[in-house]
Amino acid sequence: MAAKSTPMMEQYHALKQQAEGCLLFYRMGDFFELFFDDAKLAAGILDIALTSRGKDGGGDNGGEPVPMCGVPVHSAEAYLARLIKAGCRVAIAEQVETPDEAKQRAKAEGRPASKALVKREIVRFVTAGTLTEEALLEPRRANRLAAVCDVRGTIGIASCDISTGQMVLETCEPAAISAALARIGASELVAPEAWAEADEETIFRPRSDFSSDDGERRLKMIHEVKTLDAFGDFDRAMLAACGGLIAYLDHVGRGNLPLLLPPETRSSDALLAMDEATRASLEILTSQQGGRAGSLIATVDRCVTGAGARQLAEDLSAPLCDLDTISRRQNMVRYFHQDPLLRADLRDVLRGLPDIGRALGRVVAGRGSPRDLGQIRDGLAEARQLRDFLAAKPDQPALLEALLPSMGGHGALVDHMQRALVASPPTERQNGGFIAEGYDAALDELRQVSGNARRAIAGLEARYRDETDIATLKIKHNGVLGYFIEVPARHADPLMAADSGFTHRQTMKGAVRFNSLSLHEEAGRISEAGGHALAAEEAHFEELTAAVVQDRQTIAATAAALARLDVAAGQAERAAEGNWCQPEMRDYEVLEIRSGRHPVVEAALTATDERFVANDCTLDNDDRLWLIGGPNMGGKSTFLRQNALIILLAQAGGFVPAEGARIGLVDRLFSRVGASDNLARGRSTFMVEMVETAAILSQATASSFVILDEVGRGTSTYDGLALAWAVVEAVHETIRCRCLFATHYHELARLADSCDALSLHNVRAREWKGDLVLLHELEEGPADRSYGLAVAKLAGIPKPVVARAKAVLGKLEQGRAQTGGLAAGLGDLPLFAAAVEPEEQPEDILADKLKTIDVDSLSPREALEALYELKKAATSND
Ligand code: ADP
């Protein structure tokens, strides 16, 4: 028979059940312990010792020793951070009564007190999307949680960053879901059970959680309103997703909801649409290597606060499509760009600001510390001063004028907190010491009482030394005995006497400890006053917290305004540093970029003292598709991407790396790179290339901007050329959007004859004394040759191999000259639009036959015969 579980293990198994697949942190004294598979997994991730305890027959353990590992409670956050990073979710089971209480309970229930087991409960789930702790969050990155659901064919998405309370509701078509989720970049995604689009990391919740009625009800309750009209227009799908999101937050917080600000709606039309492949290939927030280094944001970000950096990341992931808002943002950048002194002053102030948005998040979530309150106080006070400073400046741009009012208005709260809190409050609240002197007379008195008693104890020490003649007598304090008198053992005897006035407490090696009535009294005063003082401070903490919670929306608005200022000043700084310009924005299809540069490639080159060659790009309705040829490494990809990035930066509301730019608003941005390795997803590279290209052909509009880099490269020469040819034609004839197409197929140059809005360009290269010189300069006209062998030589292919390749190439070119080359058969290919004929309808014999039958004139026998005939025709038709 299998061994039974101990009561503790039974309790553990019950809690583990409730943990729903999360790792269970089981509190035992000063440690959180993990058992069984949890322990094995955590020990591996955390690199801590895996031990074992007792034996257990519960669960499926079958009486084996229980694997176990533990982390100290005081440093649990650092371990949690690593587990969350590794993709784990953790349930925290705390002791919810003291051992004494457990014993009392046992007695009351008639069980032996010695076997009393402390009650434990899961108090919280820690998951990637629901963090608020400073130590677990990255300061410069938002941390989002998203919930999705499908309401009659419309996808609702609710997302929030509970570290700052920001919440966004949106809807999209089922086809656009992955692009929307890629934009949001949530660290945790919640969906109804059996949701078809789920991946292995999706968290499933009951379908009933995603109820639009519940969503609406809970939003109204949280924000204490009767209707949601003031916040925006929300449809059923949005509210259902919101219901799912709030239900999940409720679940992980065990009924404690975090900070949630009124939801904003986001319409996907208002944003520049970019799908996941485009985001990845443009390396907006992370480079292809996976980190921030080498990404667009890493070269653009000059924000001096974490909140600013988070706002910039959001701006770059969701650029706008609305001329007015874009111009307002750009004009504020210009304002700070034109005035370097103002910019420097502003940035100096911002640099010293605490992250009030996140401090607020912790306070509202009930995990705030006195330090968080102090940060909010200091941040709000600084914001008010900054407002006064900026308001005094002439000619403010409209956006700045709109932001300034939300930076003040907390006068009473700030004054209150300035009176109540000490200058730098501690992160721990249980030891007190954060309420300032003079704020609460009763508290001051309690502190005076314990201060007096402390002084009295010091006085006692002097008096006892005198009276006993023991110069080494000391009064000390520890956690077990409290205050005590200590003398060296050799002086202890006189104090042991019954009438000495001292009572013996403890004999140590070399020292003996005593108590005395006076000491006992003074110590009692200290502990009583101390206890009351702590309780008073705790009450003040609650009251200050409530005041902050009350003002949460306006505090969050101040935080948002400061972040926006930081973004603008940072963009201005970056522009000044790199000689960037304010683009002119237009509402028609144009793209004129003078001396544009790729910010990331340029930064990399500058670091090694190389020069980036700037290039122009001019596209309009008459010349909207550039076919770009030239040698490998010539700079084609760089040119394609720099133009896409310039559009993105402009529509995000910033300046751009160019001498001048006129940009017609783009509704969708597509970037495709031929045959990039994407085997991880289990599709062949060519398949991926085609799936991604298909998306462009179905989604791009005349206002889109498309860059295609060597599409068709992933298959055989003939297939690739044919596909590239057809894609270029479709983009040119049907979609008619602005497009840059890099290719190494010379044959495509022939398209210039038939496509009138297409022109040929190439990146220049020269061979000089047998060596290839890449000029990285774009010029008009087809590429003269591919320089493949020269590139091979540059790359270090051994000379004999290059020589042999040269000979082979000679033969091949001879052959091509004779046959007319790869594209020899293309001379009389009709134009794309003409070539696409409607598919022929198969002829319908049955219908024809039926039409000829005059039913009224048929005898029953003839009718039967006709039926047989029809049946025969139908079968032969199959
Ligand atoms: P291609 O797509 O033609 O193979 P890339 O765009 O990948 O070429 O560029 C190859 C390298 O050439 C880049 O990594 C960069 O170092 C350099 N390069 C590209 N464009 C420029 C430029 N405009 N000025 C200077 N160097 C450049």
Side-chain angles (χ1 to χ4, degrees):
M1 203 179 81
K4 273 189 44 184
S5 291
T6 60
M8 195 196 94
M9 273 297 137
E10 268 172 26
Q11 184 189 50
Y12 172 83
H13 289 304
L15 288 167
K16 180 69 190 162
Q17 280 261 299
Q18 291 172 32
E20 298 181 351
C22 299
L23 296 179
L24 184 68
F25 266 38
Y26 183 85
R27 176 79 182 255
M28 291 177 76
D30 292 336
F31 278 81
F32 284 119
E33 302 288 359
L34 295 105
F35 300 112
F36 302 104
D37 288 348
D38 284 7
K40 292 185 198 158
L41 183 67
I45 295 172
L46 300 175
D47 201 13
I48 53 178
L50 183 68
T51 57
S52 65
R53 70 174 272 148
K55 290 187 177 172
D56 180 57
D60 48 11
N61 201 47
E64 293 296 308
V66 179
M68 137 174 154
C69 67
V71 303
V73 171
H74 67 85
S75 55
E77 272 193 8
Y79 291 106
L80 274 173
R82 278 157 68 190
L83 290 172
I84 300 292
K85 238 200 186 112
C88 302
R89 303 189 308 136
V90 179
I92 311 269
E94 279 286 1
Q95 299 175 184
V96 294
E97 62 182 3
T98 62
D100 276 347
E101 284 165 345
K103 281 182 193 146
Q104 296 294 336
R105 200 164 46 82
K107 263 192 220 153
E109 291 165 10
R111 287 178 289 117
S114 59
K115 294 239 169 101
L117 180 63
V118 176
K119 210 188 258 178
R120 291 178 176 84
E121 276 172 18
I122 295 180
V123 292
R124 188 184 160 209
F125 291 90
V126 186
T127 73
T130 59
L131 304 172
T132 52
E133 285 84 349
E134 211 169 346
L136 306 191
L137 289 165
E138 287 177 46
R140 299 179 89 82
R141 263 188 61 184
N143 187 42
R144 294 205 183 80
L145 167 71
V148 283
C149 66
D150 180 336
V151 175
R152 277 173 251 115
T154 304
I155 305 293
I157 308 178
S159 58
C160 69
D161 180 346
I162 68 160
S163 69
T164 57
Q166 195 196 36
M167 182 185 223
V168 178
L169 302 183
E170 55 191 294
T171 55
C172 69
E173 296 296 310
I177 176 133
S178 64
L181 291 178
R183 164 167 48 74
I184 294 168
S187 45
E188 206 177 345
L189 179 67
V190 182
E193 273 155 344
W195 192 56
E197 311 269 331
D199 64 20
E200 62 268 28
E201 281 169 12
T202 307
I203 312 245
F204 290 122
R205 301 296 304 160
R207 188 69 250 176
S208 56
D209 280 2
F210 296 78
S211 135
S212 57
D213 286 342
D214 278 353
E216 184 171 353
R217 187 175 51 77
R218 302 205 62 162
L219 276 182
K220 286 182 189 162
M221 219 161 65
I222 292 169
H223 301 297
E224 296 163 351
V225 290
K226 287 226 153 47
T227 128
L228 299 178
D229 295 350
F231 302 149
D233 230 355
F234 307 106
D235 64 19
R236 292 281 121 198
M238 290 176 181
L239 291 171
C242 177
L245 184 81
I246 296 179
Y248 181 67
L249 287 172
D250 206 29
H251 166 75
V252 296
R254 292 260 145 179
N256 241 352
L257 274 187
L259 168 62
L260 290 176
L261 297 169
E264 297 161 32
T265 47
R266 181 167 286 166
S267 120
S268 35
D269 304 346
L271 300 179
L272 169 63
M274 290 183 279
D275 56 20
E276 204 178 340
T278 300
R279 286 171 195 277
S281 100
L282 292 180
E283 304 178 285
I284 301 172
L285 300 186
T286 44
S287 73
Q288 304 264 1
Q289 279 75 43
R292 184 177 155 109
S295 67
L296 176 66
I297 192 163
T299 34
V300 174
D301 185 2
R302 292 293 179 274
C303 290
V304 291
T305 68
R310 298 196 295 272
Q311 183 62 58
L312 178 66
E314 165 142 14
D315 289 358
L316 295 180
S317 359
L320 307 168
C321 278
D322 155 34
L323 269 188
D324 190 43
T325 322
I326 294 173
S327 308
R328 278 160 66 92
R329 283 192 195 167
Q330 285 180 355
N331 291 340
M332 188 154 84
V333 177
R334 187 182 59 206
Y335 179 71
F336 293 125
H337 185 248
Q338 284 168 342
D339 193 341
L341 289 179
L342 172 66
R343 184 170 80 236
D345 283 349
L346 170 65
R347 284 160 56 80
D348 264 352
V349 175
L350 290 173
R351 197 173 280 121
L353 279 185
D355 198 333
I356 52 179
R358 286 199 162 165
L360 178 68
R362 287 188 291 276
V363 169
V364 177
R367 288 194 278 278
S369 68
R371 179 165 172 265
D372 289 325
L373 292 179
Q375 289 196 341
I376 292 173
R377 169 197 63 189
D378 299 344
L380 293 178
E382 287 283 356
R384 193 152 44 134
Q385 285 190 0
L386 203 53
R387 179 201 58 180
D388 295 344
F389 167 70
L390 290 171
K393 301 276 165 198
D395 306 324
Q396 294 151 16
L399 179 54
L400 181 56
E401 225 168 79
L403 291 176
L404 288 181
S406 52
M407 291 168 58
H410 303 290
L413 179 66
V414 173
D415 289 348
H416 184 181
M417 295 216 283
Q418 274 169 346
R419 274 185 298 112
L421 293 168
V422 299
S424 20
T427 44
E428 296 290 329
R429 86 193 219 210
Q430 57 268 36
N431 302 327
F434 50 85
I435 295 295
E437 244 185 82
Y439 177 64
D440 173 356
L443 175 63
D444 288 348
E445 204 174 306
L446 290 168
R447 283 180 176 160
Q448 206 179 0
V449 169
S450 61
N452 287 345
R454 263 177 243 274
R455 270 189 296 280
I457 288 179
L460 274 181
E461 188 178 71
R463 202 180 95 205
Y464 289 152
R465 277 185 197 167
D466 253 14
E467 287 174 7
T468 59
D469 240 353
I470 308 173
T472 45
L473 178 146
K474 284 198 180 93
I475 294 184
K476 293 182 168 176
H477 181 271
N478 72 25
V480 183
L481 295 184
Y483 284 94
F484 54 85
I485 300 150
E486 187 175 284
V487 296
R490 64 198 143 85
H491 294 303
D493 283 352
L495 275 60
M496 290 287 205
D499 59 352
S500 67
F502 296 95
T503 36
H504 174 256
R505 297 202 65 187
Q506 205 177 26
T507 301
M508 316 285 295
K509 200 171 151 213
V512 184
R513 293 167 172 180
F514 297 91
N515 201 355
S516 77
L517 193 61
S518 309
L519 179 61
H520 182 70
E521 279 170 13
E522 296 299 347
R525 278 190 199 109
I526 292 178
S527 91
E528 190 185 351
H532 288 148
L534 277 185
E537 291 209 48
E538 182 62 27
H540 289 310
F541 182 82
E542 297 291 339
E543 158 209 322
L544 290 170
T545 297
V548 167
V549 171
Q550 180 72 33
D551 281 359
R552 61 190 184 275
Q553 286 182 22
T554 49
I555 297 175
T558 304
L562 292 169
R564 184 51 66 217
L565 277 182
D566 190 18
V567 170
Q571 294 266 50
E573 181 75 16
R574 182 66 183 89
E577 211 178 275
N579 230 345
W580 293 14
C581 74
Q582 177 174 9
E584 296 170 34
M585 304 307 292
R586 295 289 180 267
D587 59 1
Y588 52 85
E589 281 82 39
V590 62
L591 187 70
E592 285 174 32
I593 290 167
R594 244 180 324 112
S595 299
R597 288 162 284 142
H598 190 302
V600 181
V601 175
E602 183 181 27
L605 288 178
T606 314
T608 53
D609 267 343
E610 285 166 87
R611 201 172 66 85
F612 187 91
V613 182
N615 280 302
D616 295 350
C617 178
T618 44
L619 300 175
D620 58 28
N621 269 329
D622 301 329
D623 181 15
R624 56 177 185 266
L625 199 164
W626 280 18
L627 210 56
I628 300 160
N632 266 328
M633 295 297 287
K636 300 184 293 298
S637 309
T638 306
F639 179 72
L640 261 52
R641 282 181 179 72
Q642 83 189 29
N643 290 297
L645 292 177
I646 285 173
I647 292 172
L648 190 156
L649 285 167
Q651 295 195 199
F655 277 30
V656 299
E659 254 174 48
R662 177 173 302 142
I663 299 172
L665 277 188
V666 167
D667 65 346
R668 280 147 206 247
L669 189 60
F670 291 96
S671 168
R672 292 295 184 266
V673 183
S676 61
D677 268 324
N678 205 340
L679 287 174
R681 286 188 175 179
R683 289 172 173 173
S684 83
T685 51
F686 181 63
M687 185 65 185
V688 172
E689 189 181 326
M690 286 300 110
V691 166
E692 291 180 358
T693 308
I696 300 186
L697 297 178
S698 69
Q699 293 164 22
T701 75
S703 305
S704 303
F705 182 69
V706 174
I707 59 175
L708 291 160
D709 194 356
E710 304 268 12
V711 160
R713 187 170 58 177
T715 184
S716 76
T717 310
Y718 274 101
D719 286 0
L721 173 57
L723 279 163
W725 187 289
V727 169
V728 171
E729 278 187 342
V731 169
H732 180 269
E733 296 298 317
T734 317
I735 300 173
R736 308 175 76 83
C737 64
R738 288 159 285 177
C739 172
L740 301 175
F741 192 110
T743 183
H744 63 277
Y745 291 122
H746 297 286
E747 295 77 6
L748 287 182
R750 291 203 191 182
L751 280 163
D753 302 335
S754 52
C755 300
D756 54 3
L758 175 153
S759 59
L760 304 175
H761 302 259
N762 73 94
V763 283
R764 288 179 61 202
R766 290 284 166 271
E767 250 178 305
W768 195 70
K769 291 191 180 165
D771 280 330
L772 180 68
V773 184
L774 298 167
L775 301 171
H776 303 300
E777 201 180 288
L778 214 74
E779 66 176 3
E780 218 162 315
D784 47 359
R785 34 192 287 228
S786 72
Y787 296 100
L789 299 188
V791 174
K793 192 172 155 204
L794 209 62
I797 300 272
K799 273 192 185 135
V801 179
V802 176
R804 173 68 182 152
K806 221 174 221 165
V808 176
L809 179 66
K811 286 273 178 213
L812 288 174
E813 282 180 341
Q814 225 175 8
R816 177 158 74 188
Q818 282 160 8
T819 61
L822 198 57
L826 292 177
D828 49 1
L829 191 70
L831 252 185
F832 178 72
V836 185
E837 286 164 12
E839 276 184 40
E840 240 175 75
Q841 295 288 330
E843 68 183 304
D844 190 342
I845 308 168
L846 286 182
D848 291 346
K849 270 194 190 304
L850 274 168
K851 276 183 210 151
T852 60
I853 299 176
D854 178 6
V855 180
D856 293 332
S857 68
L858 292 182
S859 68
R861 193 196 155 85
E862 280 166 339
L864 194 62
E865 265 171 13
L867 195 56
Y868 274 118
E869 207 175 314
L870 282 169
K871 160 104 180 148
K872 197 165 132 204
T875 331
S876 70
N877 230 10
D878 282 346

